[in-house]
Amino acid sequence: MHVVIVGNGVAGFTAALRLRELDPACRITMISGESTYPYSRPALMYVFMGHMRYQETKPFEDRVWAEQRIELVRAWVTRIDTEGKRLELHEGQPLSYDKLLLATGSQPSLYGWPGQDLPGVQGLYSLMDLHALYQNVQGAKHAVIVGGGLIGIELAEMLHSQGVHVTFLVREDAYWSNVLPAEESAMVTRLIREAGIDLRLSSELAEIHAGPDGRAAAVTTKAGERIECQLVGLTAGVSPNTQLCQGTPIEAGRGILVDAHLQTKVPDVYAAGDCAEIVTEGEGKNLLQQVWYTGKLQGECVAKTLAGQATRYDAGLWYNSAKFLDLEYQTYGLVHAQPQAVETHGWWEHASGRLGLRVVAMDGAVTGFNAMGLRLRHRTCERWILERRSPGYVLEHLAEAGFDPEFTRRYEPEVVATLAAQLGVEATV
Amino acid sequence: MSRPLPIAYAFDEEAAGFGAPQGTPGAPSAGAPLAWVALVAVALGVLSFAAQLAGAPHAGTWLGLLSGLPLAFAASAVYFWLGLQGTTPGIKHDGIFFGSMTARGTLAWFAGLGLTAFYVVLYWLPGAGAIANMQAGEGAPAQAKLWLLRWTSALFERAIGSLDPLALALSGKDADRWFLYGTLYTLAVLAFGVRMLMKYRHVRYQIVRTLSVMFFQLGFGFLIPQVLKAFRYPEYYFTYFWPLKYDYLFPSSVTGLWNTPGGVGVFMVVWGLVATFVATPVLTYFFGKRWYCSWVCGCGGLAETLGDPYRQLSSKSTRAWKVERWLIHSVLVFIVVTTAAVWLTRGTHSPLAAGLQKWYGFLIGAAFSGVIGVGFYPLMGSRVWCRFGCPMAAVLGVFQRCFSRFRITTNGGQCMSCGNCSTYCEMGIDVRAYAEKGENVVRASCVGCGVCAAVCPRGVLKLENGPTHADRFAGAENPVQTFLASLTQGPKVP
């Protein structure tokens, strides 16, 4: 059996390694036009800032791929022939497959802004984007970043570290307000501004203007303000790469449509990671998960199916983490940005404005945590939520979930008292 | 619908790499105006010291002493403090891999050569008297060599002499080359310790640990041995034990100390034995080898302070790991054999024991721990000696790997494989390989510096002393069982 994986991101390489573990005999080929070896996408920013070299971002030594008999092909796939089970490459001979895994990832979303295709305008997702950033930053003094999510703040931090002044346009009236509750959002907003980044809320991009050299030279906002700049970062989310499905029977919606086994409707064609849109029967919205760990989980899951052990994808309890400049953020379970009527929220914030903890409860059970500047133990939070522990229990045992380094100042008594009052429970530590 | 994939992209990231972004206005300078004053003071200290080397009259006075090296180092500490004060508390690694000094550039080579040259002079330059009696042989090369020796010796003796007032005040004796070394070493630990305190001021583990290495170097690594000399006691270092300080358990040292009047020597012998054979296993069981390597030890102290700018240079390859295991355990065997030979042949003038002792001292004691260990900081990272050579680290490592409560816990599924932890591991451990699998890190070489946990952007790593030693291997390989299995089933295929 020859399994071909298109894309060497986390979903692709996880699937390849796990498949090799499960099936020592099959032939595995992994194709990427982006990089010769897999690297860690979230580390792109550290290469630009000089924290690491490119080679340090590779999660595995180069020799691993040969040892695991995973053939790496550096090429772009230009067409999938699902009838003949063949891939056409932009260079080199076509490649036949028995089973095909599409792990093509995504790309920065564009919303038809005038000027979005000008030189000097870019997103930040791939090595191609990083490469473009090295070109675009040359001589840049002022950059405008559009879109207030996680990539936006990363790009802002990268440019800021190089002394480029950054104006950060966020459409909503609070930073990342579709995910962060108001208090967390306000904390991040404050720290971004303290760092000297010009964060503008309720500001929407209207148009990007070209200068005499044809490169982006200014933007105007919907409020009519013109901002001169030499670089425009478009970071309003990412969209799945579904291009390869065009002209094939592989169906694509927002992403490549797959069932719970991550299988498309075309036999022997699968999709996993950022690019996959999982159709959930009778549960309303399809599942489009575009973070690192879901790519990893989907890669592991699809590897089992590819190896003949049909496995349904189980996303497990949601969690995530990020870092906004110097502020770490972790979330476990369900924390709605807008507290729901059936939920009770408890929020503690340290006087410094750099530490915060949110505990969400519903029907007498804790359902979510947000930690700002604090580290929580993933497995403990997860267990409490799955075991439907009461807010009182969780607060009394809160110290068990602490994951900060030894000697870190602890605030449990204050945190517990504050949260217990807001959650309306008795708890003493 | 998404844009077409960029099939025109043909950049070779492996060959070309990325490097420093070019043409930007440069990072904003964080230095306060006072930082410039501090830099000028550093320059004055260096000038004053250089003038003393050239024979200026203030050499050998308190004015000369204080205006020289101590001023330069104190002003460096102030400079670090002020320079970092303007930054927000957090990770400060911008540009590490772009800097000539921190990324094996020209400056690093100069620094490495300079440090190496200093160690060569320190260990092997003959004494001033011996050089004065040397006769130049025939020919220009021999004469040039003698001239160079005399010139180096003159500078070296003046450098030593510039510290006489301090040596006299502490020990009642003139400074010697080891006093110069100890003074430089301590000043470096203190000044770069201040840098470390400021750089990691958002992580209290780093603050406490750095204060600890500064305290042990200043007190136990410098002041106490000198003051002991003043009271005519042996110059004893209470924080160095066999097998790192290998001669402390040689018969000559043991009998010498044992016969010191007043019971102090007996205490020192007992202290050394207890430290090696009781404290080492017990403390390592409870805290891991970090209790010594990154909290107490002077070598560790220098690596964690002066060496911090170079921690990212350690090799993370599996090959380096293999070399490490063979080399460090060979050194341990070497010193055990040497010590045994010296004891078994005592009183017999055995040429074998004398040879072992001499070659261990030359190869390991001087060349490896000093010249390579510190001289190569800017090229191979700050823990070359600790990782590849130190027999004490080898012993501590065996205990840590097999019988200790210490582990680095990884946080469930939060790792996103960015590699900051591995990059900044001075011991070359690929921490990420464990973190991305959610396995505990249980490695012989880990010195517990805690920097992996500090630099992790997602809160994935935590150094912990667990309730038992056995629960560390949940989901990971148990070294003892793996070893036993490998005896019967052959090595594991990856």
Side-chain angles (χ1 to χ4, degrees):
Chain A
M1 180 175 73
H2 185 198
V3 177
V4 175
I5 300 170
V6 182
N8 68 353
V10 61
F13 76 67
T14 305
L17 289 169
R18 176 49 69 95
L19 177 60
R20 171 56 72 226
E21 208 177 303
L22 297 170
D23 182 352
C26 69
R27 181 180 168 206
I28 305 174
T29 303
M30 185 157 63
I31 308 177
S32 168
E34 181 186 6
S35 65
T36 305
Y37 295 102
Y39 73 96
S40 173
R41 206 172 287 293
L44 284 180
M45 65 182 296
Y46 301 113
V47 174
F48 187 81
M49 296 198 298
H51 295 205
M52 286 188 232
R53 291 168 302 175
Y54 171 71
Q55 55 261 47
E56 270 95 30
T57 68
K58 292 192 272 186
F60 304 95
E61 285 180 75
D62 294 348
R63 61 177 176 81
V64 165
W65 306 104
E67 278 174 17
Q68 298 296 315
R69 289 171 290 120
I70 294 165
E71 295 166 40
L72 301 180
V73 175
R74 178 84 187 251
W76 297 99
V77 176
T78 49
R79 203 177 79 85
I80 304 171
D81 171 7
T82 52
E83 285 292 307
K85 288 195 164 183
R86 247 164 43 112
L87 299 176
E88 285 174 18
L89 310 180
H90 84 291
E91 272 177 6
Q93 295 299 309
L95 207 60
S96 297
Y97 65 83
D98 297 309
K99 288 184 179 175
L100 177 67
L101 171 61
L102 298 171
T104 52
S106 46
Q107 58 172 290
S109 300
L110 299 171
Y111 291 93
W113 293 294
Q116 67 183 19
D117 294 318
L118 288 171
V121 181
Q122 67 165 113
L124 181 70
Y125 181 89
S126 61
L127 273 185
M128 290 79 83
D129 295 330
L130 183 69
H131 187 59
L133 189 62
Y134 272 79
Q135 318 291 317
N136 289 334
V137 79
Q138 290 189 22
K141 290 187 167 52
H142 197 131
V144 172
I145 294 173
V146 181
L150 296 182
I151 299 178
I153 184 62
E154 282 183 8
L155 184 57
E157 185 178 353
M158 290 158 75
L159 292 168
H160 191 67
S161 79
Q162 288 299 313
V164 179
H165 187 70
V166 175
T167 298
F168 193 1
L169 303 183
V170 173
R171 186 179 60 179
E172 293 76 22
D173 59 3
Y175 175 79
W176 210 28
S177 60
N178 57 332
V179 175
L180 292 181
E183 289 81 2
E184 286 90 323
S185 176
M187 183 185 282
V188 178
T189 299
R190 200 169 55 242
L191 293 182
I192 292 174
R193 287 183 172 152
E194 273 176 28
I197 292 167
D198 176 20
L199 173 63
R200 303 196 191 176
L201 301 171
S202 308
S203 294
E204 254 187 280
L205 174 67
E207 188 177 353
I208 305 167
H209 307 279
D213 57 357
R215 298 179 59 84
V219 303
T220 39
T221 65
K222 286 208 173 149
E225 192 186 355
R226 185 181 166 95
I227 306 164
E228 307 294 326
C229 60
Q230 296 79 43
L231 198 166
V232 179
L234 299 178
T235 58
V238 293
S239 308
N241 283 322
T242 58
Q243 301 89 333
L244 288 176
C245 303
Q246 286 168 37
T248 74
I250 306 166
E251 279 183 70
R254 280 187 301 158
I256 300 169
L257 295 175
V258 291
D259 61 18
H261 291 92
L262 305 180
Q263 190 162 9
T264 67
K265 289 206 173 126
V266 178
D268 297 325
V269 179
Y270 302 78
D274 270 22
C275 67
E277 180 176 350
I278 303 169
V279 180
T280 47
E281 303 102 23
E283 293 169 43
K285 263 176 88 174
N286 287 349
L287 204 56
L288 195 62
Q289 295 183 315
Q290 294 173 306
V291 295
W292 181 262
Y293 86 88
T294 55
K296 199 159 146 180
L297 284 181
Q298 292 183 21
E300 301 222 346
C301 172
V302 79
K304 289 182 197 159
T305 305
L306 286 168
Q309 313 167 9
T311 305
R312 285 177 69 88
Y313 175 62
D314 175 11
L317 184 77
W318 173 256
Y319 64 93
N320 201 8
S321 60
K323 195 170 180 187
F324 309 99
L325 306 173
D326 289 322
L327 181 68
E328 287 176 25
Y329 154 75
Q330 293 183 334
T331 185
Y332 300 100
L334 213 54
V335 180
H336 291 107
Q338 300 290 331
Q340 310 287 297
V342 288
E343 289 174 351
T344 325
H345 281 230
W347 167 254
W348 166 82
E349 185 170 325
H350 185 251
S352 67
R354 287 166 188 273
L355 302 171
L357 180 68
R358 177 177 305 269
V359 175
V360 182
M362 193 168 73
D363 298 334
V366 165
T367 51
F369 298 88
N370 266 1
M372 309 297 288
L374 300 171
R375 295 174 173 182
L376 296 180
R377 209 177 278 268
H378 179 185
R379 295 303 174 213
T380 306
C381 294
E382 182 182 63
R383 197 181 68 238
W384 284 344
I385 294 171
L386 295 178
E387 290 174 356
R388 296 187 46 79
R389 291 289 181 179
S390 69
Y393 176 90
V394 165
L395 291 181
E396 282 181 359
H397 294 80
L398 198 57
E400 291 168 26
F403 202 71
D404 279 310
E406 293 150 306
F407 301 110
T408 303
R409 272 186 218 286
R410 307 295 294 256
Y411 300 96
E412 269 85 18
E414 182 191 330
V415 176
V416 169
T418 309
L419 294 182
Q422 294 181 27
L423 294 167
V425 296
E426 297 278 327
T428 48
V429 282
Chain B
M1 183 45 77
S2 41
R3 287 182 174 187
L5 288 169
I7 57 170
Y9 175 81
F11 180 68
D12 185 350
E13 72 287 340
E14 297 289 333
F18 283 90
Q22 295 296 310
T24 55
S29 81
L34 271 176
W36 288 103
V37 177
L39 268 189
V40 171
V42 173
L44 284 177
V46 171
L47 275 178
S48 168
F49 182 67
Q52 294 175 61
L53 295 188
H58 65 305
T61 65
W62 273 106
L63 174 72
L65 189 151
L66 291 176
S67 71
L69 293 175
L71 174 66
F73 278 100
S76 303
V78 173
Y79 173 73
F80 293 141
W81 184 277
L82 294 171
L84 288 165
Q85 205 177 29
T87 62
T88 52
I91 294 309
K92 316 249 165 304
H93 285 156
D94 286 355
I96 289 272
F97 278 99
F98 308 149
S100 182
M101 184 56 113
T102 50
R104 291 196 193 104
T106 316
L107 284 180
W109 279 93
F110 274 114
L113 282 174
L115 280 168
T116 305
F118 172 75
Y119 273 93
V120 169
V121 168
L122 179 72
Y123 283 118
W124 296 306
L125 186 75
I131 287 182
N133 292 332
M134 283 182 187
Q135 300 293 324
E138 292 292 309
Q143 289 182 353
K145 188 186 159 200
L146 183 62
W147 178 84
L148 183 68
L149 272 177
R150 290 206 162 130
W151 184 77
T152 311
S153 174
L155 288 188
F156 195 47
E157 293 304 324
R158 283 185 191 140
I160 294 166
S162 77
L163 299 178
D164 277 344
L166 181 62
L168 281 167
L170 287 174
S171 68
K173 296 194 170 75
D174 276 344
D176 59 14
R177 64 174 68 193
W178 301 111
F179 187 81
L180 171 70
Y181 180 44
T183 308
L184 277 171
Y185 202 104
T186 307
L187 287 172
V189 168
L190 294 178
F192 282 80
V194 168
R195 173 184 172 278
M196 195 72 184
L197 289 174
M198 210 48 192
K199 180 181 171 188
Y200 284 106
R201 64 188 185 277
H202 59 298
V203 186
R204 279 183 89 214
Y205 180 77
Q206 297 303 332
I207 293 175
V208 178
R209 197 177 59 73
T210 303
L211 287 172
S212 172
V213 294
M214 292 166 76
F215 168 79
F216 280 107
Q217 178 54 37
L218 179 62
F220 290 82
F222 184 65
L223 293 177
I224 289 174
Q226 296 305 322
V227 172
L228 282 171
K229 275 197 324 199
F231 288 95
R232 301 186 180 277
Y233 291 125
E235 179 185 341
Y236 191 84
Y237 293 81
F238 287 97
T239 48
Y240 287 103
F241 323 119
W242 186 91
L244 171 56
K245 190 76 178 163
Y246 48 95
D247 53 343
Y248 274 9
L249 285 194
F250 281 178
S252 52
S253 301
V254 171
T255 41
L257 287 173
W258 197 265
N259 295 328
T260 304
V264 172
V266 174
F267 174 73
M268 287 168 178
V269 171
V270 173
W271 173 268
L273 287 169
V274 168
T276 298
F277 296 107
V278 182
T280 296
V282 171
L283 290 175
T284 307
Y285 174 74
F286 285 104
F287 306 112
K289 77 198 267 190
R290 57 181 173 159
W291 75 267
Y292 188 67
C293 295
S294 66
W295 283 73
V296 171
C297 176
C299 307
L302 194 70
E304 295 293 342
T305 50
L306 182 69
D308 176 70
Y310 311 112
R311 58 173 59 248
Q312 67 282 355
L313 301 175
S314 61
S315 170
K316 279 78 187 178
S317 68
T318 309
R319 209 178 117 248
W321 186 15
K322 278 186 186 148
V323 171
E324 165 196 317
R325 283 177 291 179
W326 275 102
L327 208 50
I328 195 168
H329 296 117
S330 304
V331 173
L332 178 60
V333 170
F334 190 178
I335 191 56
V336 169
V337 168
T338 303
T339 309
V342 174
W343 272 102
L344 292 173
T345 62
R346 69 185 187 284
T348 64
H349 302 289
S350 152
L352 173 73
L356 281 172
Q357 198 176 335
K358 186 179 148 216
W359 279 102
Y360 187 87
F362 171 73
L363 285 177
I364 311 297
F368 203 157
S369 78
V371 180
I372 298 174
V374 180
F376 288 13
Y377 268 15
L379 303 174
M380 292 176 70
S382 52
R383 286 278 193 173
V384 176
W385 161 247
C386 313
R387 180 183 179 191
F388 295 100
C390 176
M392 180 80 185
V395 172
L396 290 161
V398 171
F399 284 122
Q400 171 158 289
R401 185 76 171 96
C402 298
F403 201 65
S404 168
R405 293 180 174 192
F406 173 73
R407 81 292 304 270
I408 304 177
T409 311
T410 62
N411 201 3
Q414 287 285 21
C415 176
M416 42 119 190
S417 303
C418 71
N420 271 295
C421 52
S422 297
T423 305
Y424 288 94
C425 176
E426 55 190 352
M427 296 304 282
I429 299 172
D430 190 2
V431 184
R432 163 173 55 190
Y434 301 82
E436 62 194 0
K437 284 183 272 186
E439 283 179 5
N440 290 344
V441 186
V442 182
R443 278 282 289 269
S445 62
C446 174
V447 292
C449 71
V451 166
C452 58
V455 301
C456 174
R458 302 296 174 102
V460 176
L461 300 157
K462 184 179 191 309
L463 279 62
E464 292 187 283
N465 308 311
T468 74
H469 66 278
D471 67 336
R472 300 179 298 161
F473 301 111
E477 277 179 13
N478 181 322
V480 183
Q481 282 169 12
T482 309
F483 177 69
L484 292 176
S486 73
L487 294 180
T488 53
Q489 297 154 17
K492 193 186 159 209
V493 182

